[in-house]
Amino acid sequence: MTAYALLLEYDGRGFVGWQTQPNGLSVQQVLEEAASKLAGGAPVAAAIAGRTDAGVHAIGQVAMITLERDLPPQRLREALNFHMKPHAVVVQEARLAPEGWHPRFDAKRRRYRYIILNRSARPALEMGHVWHMPHPLEAGAMAEGARFLLGRHDFTSFRASSCQAKSPLRTLDRLDVRRDGYHVIIEAEARSFLHHQVRNMVGTLKLVGEGAWAPARMAEALAACDRAAAGPTAPPDGLTFISVDYEPPVF
Amino acid sequence: MTAYALLLEYDGRGFVGWQTQPNGLSVQQVLEEAASKLAGGAPVAAAIAGRTDAGVHAIGQVAMITLERDLPPQRLREALNFHMKPHAVVVQEARLAPEGWHPRFDAKRRRYRYIILNRSARPALEMGHVWHMPHPLEAGAMAEGARFLLGRHDFTSFRASSCQAKSPLRTLDRLDVRRDGYHVIIEAEARSFLHHQVRNMVGTLKLVGEGAWAPARMAEALAACDRAAAGPTAPPDGLTFISVDYEPPVF
């Protein structure tokens, strides 16, 4: 048996998310079915660094599959990419997985990016890849509000009710907000995130950006440890899983 | 009669190009049909700064329409965007057109960007927005080759046989090539371009990038004044019309 680490890129539109579900096509299913073709039809199970919801994208997601066959990683990548056509999922790189390595449990740091298109006109070129907010957002105030969430906290207020993590404690290492033309870009970094944590933080920062909340209210929302104290969940479209770090690095 | 200048963004996928043709939906048709709804059903004709081919995108295209009605430009933009749904075309801004202004004939400078995805894996997130070249390209050599095309020349070697311009003389002010990770980005700037000129320059620079041509062969191809002396036409996917300048500025 040989374990491979895979660096994945996918467009979340058209998928029910990473995880296989009865109601549509998942990224996992596309990958596992392609891998199964290389295993003579035997089922292949894939593990992932960070599960993503329907509509969420990835440019540096990391997965692991295990095959009976010993294939050169480059050939594995090409074969998987061939079999995953025409779906919007590709293996950018494949490596032999380090001994005993797991993409989820060994992740030291994960990065997400969220893009808001902040202009009157709806998106044309970026449809499905941004959250459209027609009214002007104050990115400086959002950045100020974001700083209240940094560090180790109980993030219950920003956690989906469906979240299965044992503890709501997380350490948020980075939550930057900046404006680039009519884009407002939010970058988040942590060892791990709760379910919907990034989208709930973004949905709440949007309240700060439009002036409905003072920046310091982010601290109150956090301290409340109550989902109802924070803002709504931002849509998946603007969210991309950027990268994940391992020690030693895998890619 | 009131003339309006419109700043347009569109995704070229799914369109037969700017210009209306019998074989499918054009950007022009989507815009003109939306404008016609504001004119009580009367036909409205749109003029454009730079016609684009099927599959070519735009983020800063400029168009003009003329209406009998006198609408505040912001309301015109909103109404057009409403009526152009769900097509991937939007009006980012609308202004009253300067007296006697024409988006095509008064353009002082046009900018195009071409993006090559230079990695083994086919695109997932950027499908339809890049030209995929799996083999490594030498962007430095491409930049060197590009410099031979700068200035005023007879660009017959880089002109589509269908080009309707009276003269093949054009002044190329900028043709930059740079690498950004696995993207090779080509930016071109001129008062005007011949039909397929950018795509033909890119298709020829690709020969330089892969080492099939020495950079100086770009000069020979140009001097030949023969379409057969240059490389093939790059696909439309990677091409975006970025912006157009007027004096005084319109947007």
Side-chain angles (χ1 to χ4, degrees), chain A residues 139-198:
Chain A
M142 294 169 74
E144 199 186 325
R147 282 195 286 273
F148 290 105
L149 304 186
L150 294 179
R152 185 159 179 82
H153 303 288
D154 178 331
F155 278 97
T156 295
S157 301
F158 298 93
R159 173 189 194 170
S161 56
S162 59
C163 182
Q164 289 164 25
K166 281 183 196 137
S167 163
L169 284 172
R170 288 293 182 276
T171 302
L172 184 62
D173 296 309
R174 196 159 80 89
L175 187 62
D176 291 346
V177 184
R178 65 189 166 88
R179 175 174 291 281
D180 181 7
Y182 45 58
H183 293 111
V184 174
I185 299 161
I186 298 150
E187 290 174 305
E189 203 173 300
R191 180 169 186 135
S192 68
F193 291 92
L194 298 165
H195 191 205
H196 281 181
Q197 186 182 344
V198 178

Side-chain angles (χ1 to χ4, degrees), chain A residues 9 59 77 119-120 124-125, chain B residues 9 59 77 119-120 124-125:
Chain A
E9 175 183 298
I59 65 174
R77 179 192 68 200
R119 69 173 189 197
S120 296
L125 267 169
Chain B
E9 175 183 297
I59 64 173
R77 179 191 69 201
R119 68 173 189 196
S120 295
L125 268 169

Side-chain angles (χ1 to χ4, degrees), chain A residues 130-149:
Chain A
V130 291
W131 182 19
H132 178 220
M133 288 291 314
H135 300 295
L137 294 174
E138 185 55 67
M142 294 169 74
E144 199 186 325
R147 282 195 286 273
F148 290 105
L149 304 186

